[in-house]
Amino acid sequence: MTAWAAREHHRFEAAGRPFVYLVPSAAIFELDEAADALLRTLTDGPQTRDQLGHFEHVDDTIAELARVQAIQPIERDTGCTAVSPPLSPRVIPLAPVPLTTMVLNVTNQCNLSCTYCYEYGEDKIVDTENGRQPKFMTEETARASVDFLLREAGSAAHITFFGGETLMNFPVLVRTIEYARRRAAEASKAVDFSLTTNATLLKPEIIEFLAEQRVGVTISIDGPKEVQDKFRVFNSGVGSYDIVAPKIRELIRRHRTRPIGARVTLTSANMDVKRIYRHLTEEMGFWEVGFAPVTTAAVRGHAISDDGYDRMLGQFRDLAYDFLEAAVAHRHHGFSNVKETLEELHKGVSKAYPCGAGLGLLGVATDGDVALCHRFAGSDAHKVGTVAGGIDRDAQRAFLEKHHIANKTDCTVCWARPLCSGGCYHEAHVRYGDTGHANLHYCEWIRGWTDVCLRIYGELSVRNPSFLTQFEDANETSPVS
Ligand code: SF4
Ligand code: SF4
């Protein structure tokens, strides 16, 4: 006997109306009263058409829900009471994926000693002090990286300079930009640049260059003085706020060709998201601010506990609702985490892999080894080629086979998987010693945050739908962290 069953979905309410996020298609629909009631009934278990007969306009409602694939017919005598979630098709790209972003670790040296740093702290995976990696990338390796990128990229390529502290190798950065512009023009490709820096080495001529060359700048900073100076310290232990604050203000004042963003690392001792946001935007002038929980083993003092993730979610929620009110009033708000998630929701993103690492994004170590991303650059275990020799397609294929969402058992029954897809490989490596492990320590946080963003999305679709249309042709690259 045929019955109707709900497909995997997440119901939420926004602007006083019911909505549904359909997991298999990553689509969002507002429900009318009848569709909401029927879908809720089917969420408790499949029902036949006759059992649903008491619903008004039942056939129309069934047809509508079936059309958007919120429900599906099943054979009832199988004894099945719910539709098992369909696994994502296990599609491994056969043709090489064009590279879009290459992160050049131009140095693995840093003039700060941030206590929580994944590169230098207790959780580091690359020996940047005593290993075989040169401390600075040479101009020759940087040029080979550019050639590699332009060979592998489609019509547009993005280069991000990273460290260590990126500006410690500023001369190579300057010559690489010059070379990349020339080579890209010869190849009729567009090339674009950005960098991440701790701001300690900014000075007028560097700021001038970055502005003139339209280099996107992300500053790693944790907030007001007492917050910044807790972890972001020089080798001597002295905090860096007093050094970086005037330099950042100068950068923001003079670099007007691209918006300047801040990237904040949250730790157990540094969680006041709203206050940090206000300081960085209102008092320092950043255009946008992105927050990321620290990547660290659970045993470290600065690791965020379950309670901490709850607190962080509450703070993110408050700031996201400030964002909503600004968006409704057509005002800018710089909380980039919510904007990025809204964009993914609007585009119906459904990921087989959590990020572009090993696909459209690769990291290059100072010696020219190519790794999954900048955080693995220099690690032999995560190497997928060299800029001179090209991508090791077997290693890349093995990586993609192993890391597909279909292999992450816990994720295959999680409604948040279209956006999360198991989470960052580097985080998984540090937490579980395995890049292929789902980041199960933050599932509640991810689901809570995705739910907040869905509600914001629903509210915007009712109160200011024009805000969402900006995502239809947006093609910005997120800063790396
Ligand atoms: S890591 Fe957790 S939140 Fe993310 S998809 Fe997997 S189960 Fe869901
Ligand atoms: S999400 Fe993690 S693995 Fe992916 S690019 Fe970022 S740091 Fe690398």
Side-chain angles (χ1 to χ4, degrees):
M1 186 191 305
T2 304
W4 288 97
R7 298 192 72 195
E8 201 184 6
H9 66 275
H10 175 67
R11 182 189 181 279
F12 62 98
E13 288 181 13
R17 308 177 190 190
F19 285 79
V20 67
Y21 178 56
L22 300 175
V23 179
S25 59
I28 301 167
F29 291 100
E30 184 184 336
L31 300 171
D32 62 23
E33 218 177 290
D36 185 38
L38 199 139
L39 187 59
R40 290 178 88 164
T41 299
L42 294 182
T43 304
D44 293 336
Q47 304 254 314
T48 62
R49 160 68 185 75
D50 287 351
Q51 289 172 311
L52 297 169
H54 59 284
F55 282 97
E56 249 184 90
H57 310 299
V58 63
D59 291 319
D60 289 348
T61 309
I62 287 177
E64 188 56 21
L65 286 172
R67 189 182 66 78
V68 300
Q69 301 184 352
I71 61 174
Q72 70 178 60
I74 59 162
E75 284 313 311
R76 227 205 181 158
D77 21 335
T78 57
C80 160
T81 56
V83 178
S84 39
L87 293 179
S88 315
R90 200 155 175 278
V91 182
I92 310 296
L94 284 176
V97 177
L99 253 193
T100 53
T101 304
M102 180 156 236
V103 187
L104 299 191
N105 281 22
V106 288
T107 177
N108 53 38
Q109 301 300 292
C110 191
N111 57 342
L112 291 186
S113 302
C114 307
T115 329
Y116 53 57
C117 181
Y118 64 80
E119 217 167 332
Y120 300 100
E122 294 158 300
D123 299 316
K124 72 179 176 187
I125 57 175
V126 181
D127 185 349
T128 48
E129 283 137 36
N130 313 302
R132 57 170 181 78
Q133 287 286 328
K135 293 183 168 153
F136 296 93
M137 183 178 278
T138 62
E139 192 179 338
E140 193 189 6
T141 302
R143 281 171 175 243
S145 305
V146 169
D147 293 340
F148 172 95
L149 172 63
L150 291 174
R151 255 193 331 267
E152 299 289 337
S155 58
H158 181 85
I159 296 176
T160 290
F161 298 98
F162 204 77
E165 168 40 40
T166 312
L167 295 180
M168 287 177 76
N169 202 0
F170 185 64
V172 163
L173 186 150
V174 170
R175 290 194 287 276
T176 306
I177 289 179
E178 191 188 314
Y179 179 73
R181 284 211 195 281
R182 181 160 53 78
R183 296 285 290 121
E186 287 163 10
S188 301
K189 296 189 181 190
V191 66
D192 173 60
F193 306 94
S194 64
L195 63 81
T196 297
T197 173
N198 63 26
T200 52
L201 300 175
L202 283 173
K203 51 188 178 182
E205 51 276 33
I206 292 182
I207 294 173
E208 247 10 275
F209 174 84
L210 298 176
E212 200 179 287
Q213 294 291 326
R214 298 193 78 255
V215 178
V217 180
T218 299
I219 305 285
S220 303
I221 181 168
D222 286 352
K225 181 172 167 58
E226 68 281 10
V227 180
Q228 168 86 353
D229 288 353
K230 219 177 266 175
F231 292 113
R232 301 191 67 83
V233 295
F234 289 96
N235 288 333
S236 59
V238 171
S240 57
Y241 185 87
D242 290 338
I243 300 288
V244 299
K247 291 171 185 278
I248 292 170
R249 289 199 170 94
E250 186 67 359
L251 173 80
I252 291 171
R253 195 174 66 76
R254 293 170 68 166
H255 187 335
R256 314 295 292 183
T257 51
R258 300 270 296 259
I260 308 294
R263 195 269 186 202
V264 175
T265 299
L266 295 172
T267 63
S268 58
N270 172 25
M271 284 277 210
D272 196 345
V273 173
K274 286 187 78 167
R275 178 158 165 270
I276 295 168
Y277 176 82
R278 274 200 302 274
H279 177 79
L280 295 178
T281 52
E282 292 164 19
E283 290 164 40
M284 297 209 76
F286 280 104
W287 179 250
E288 58 183 18
V289 182
F291 295 85
V294 67
T295 294
T296 188
V299 293
R300 310 280 176 244
H302 48 263
I304 298 176
S305 62
D306 290 350
D307 279 1
Y309 275 109
D310 287 349
R311 261 192 300 138
M312 192 169 84
L313 180 58
Q315 302 246 338
F316 267 51
R317 185 186 294 119
D318 288 351
L319 201 53
Y321 276 91
D322 289 351
F323 179 101
L324 168 67
E325 292 313 319
V328 168
H330 301 274
R331 276 188 288 110
H332 168 75
H333 190 286
F335 184 23
S336 62
N337 299 65
V338 70
K339 189 169 173 224
E340 282 162 19
T341 307
L342 290 176
E343 180 170 354
E344 292 191 323
L345 289 172
H346 191 72
K347 290 179 170 171
V349 165
S350 185
K351 301 173 185 168
Y353 301 97
C355 62
L359 277 163
L361 180 147
L362 291 170
V364 185
T366 50
D367 65 351
D369 276 1
V370 175
L372 300 173
C373 79
H374 52 294
R375 289 200 180 193
F376 293 105
S379 158
D380 285 341
H382 305 94
K383 178 174 164 178
V384 289
T386 63
V387 289
I391 297 176
D392 178 341
R393 296 289 174 201
D394 289 340
Q396 187 185 35
R397 168 170 285 276
F399 169 79
L400 294 176
E401 289 272 356
K402 177 180 169 190
H403 292 80
H404 195 277
I405 183 71
N407 294 330
K408 296 178 181 172
T409 318
D410 298 276
C411 304
T412 55
V413 290
C414 169
W415 67 261
R417 72 177 178 280
L419 294 190
C420 173
S421 199
C424 169
Y425 305 127
H426 179 255
E427 174 102 18
H429 179 82
V430 171
R431 277 271 168 165
Y432 307 101
D434 175 7
T435 49
H437 201 292
N439 281 289
L440 301 177
H441 58 287
Y442 61 35
C443 296
E444 289 309 315
W445 143 251
I446 291 290
R447 284 191 281 260
W449 175 238
T450 309
D451 180 69
V452 168
C453 291
L454 283 166
R455 288 167 198 267
I456 302 285
Y457 187 90
E459 290 251 0
L460 280 170
S461 72
V462 173
R463 294 172 62 196
N464 183 9
S466 67
F467 178 87
L468 299 170
T469 56
Q470 69 176 294
F471 300 130
E472 275 152 33
D473 44 28
N475 204 15
E476 275 288 307
T477 313
S478 299
V480 294
S481 55

